[in-house]
Amino acid sequence: MIDVAAIREKVWFDKITDRALYQQTCAAYGVSFRLYHSHKDIPITERQVIVFEENGSIPLEEFVHPEDAVYIFGRTGYDVRNWFPDATSVKIVTPGRSSLFGCVACGIVLEDRKRKQENW
C-alpha cells in the first residue's frame, strides 16, 4: 500500500487549493493522502519512507517502487532529504534547473508507479 504525505506550499497556493490538488491526484490513483503544515508533523512509521525532491539520489526512471511505503513530497525549493535523512530519495529529472510543484511531482510519480506495475 502506498500513502502520500505532503508539506503545504507556503508561497504558491492557499491551504485549500494545495490540499485539493493533491487530493484529486491521489484519488485518481486510489492512494490515500495527508497534507501537513510541517515535516515535523508527519508520523514516521515502520513502513519504508521515500522522499521525492529536486536533489534526490535516484532518478525516477531507475526507481523501483516498493509495495508498502509512504511517499513524501515537500515544498518547492526545499531539500526534503534533510528532513528525513534515512529515507530513500528520488528525483524527477527536469529540463535545466526547473522545479515542480509537489502536487505535480506527485502525479508524475504515481503515474510512473502505475506504468511500471503494468510493465509498460
Side-chain angles (χ1 to χ4, degrees):
M1 177 170 74
I2 299 297
D3 291 322
V4 170
I7 313 300
R8 188 173 77 80
E9 294 278 359
K10 285 188 168 184
V11 179
W12 301 103
F13 301 123
D14 63 43
K15 180 178 166 182
I16 295 170
T17 303
D18 202 20
R19 181 182 312 276
L21 291 170
Y22 271 109
Q23 283 176 327
Q24 289 175 341
T25 300
C26 290
Y29 291 94
V31 174
S32 68
F33 166 72
R34 293 280 318 242
L35 181 67
Y36 296 91
H37 294 284
S38 166
H39 67 282
K40 296 175 186 175
D41 298 333
I42 297 176
I44 299 301
T45 64
E46 297 300 317
R47 297 166 69 195
Q48 187 174 358
V49 175
I50 313 292
V51 296
F52 294 89
E53 50 100 25
E54 297 161 342
N55 301 313
S57 58
I58 304 169
L60 181 60
E61 294 82 10
E62 298 172 14
F63 179 63
V64 177
H65 295 268
E67 287 296 318
D68 187 28
V70 177
Y71 287 180
I72 300 177
F73 297 87
R75 292 187 195 118
T76 304
Y78 283 74
D79 191 352
V80 182
R81 189 172 31 196
N82 288 336
W83 297 337
F84 304 97
D86 297 330
T88 300
S89 65
V90 178
K91 65 180 172 185
I92 299 170
V93 179
T94 58
R97 294 186 47 91
S98 61
S99 61
L100 300 170
F101 289 123
C103 55
V104 173
C106 179
I108 292 169
V109 167
L110 294 178
E111 181 63 21
D112 181 74
R113 181 176 185 269
K114 176 184 164 193
R115 288 179 181 223
K116 286 176 180 172
Q117 286 179 335
E118 294 174 356
N119 296 317
W120 279 40

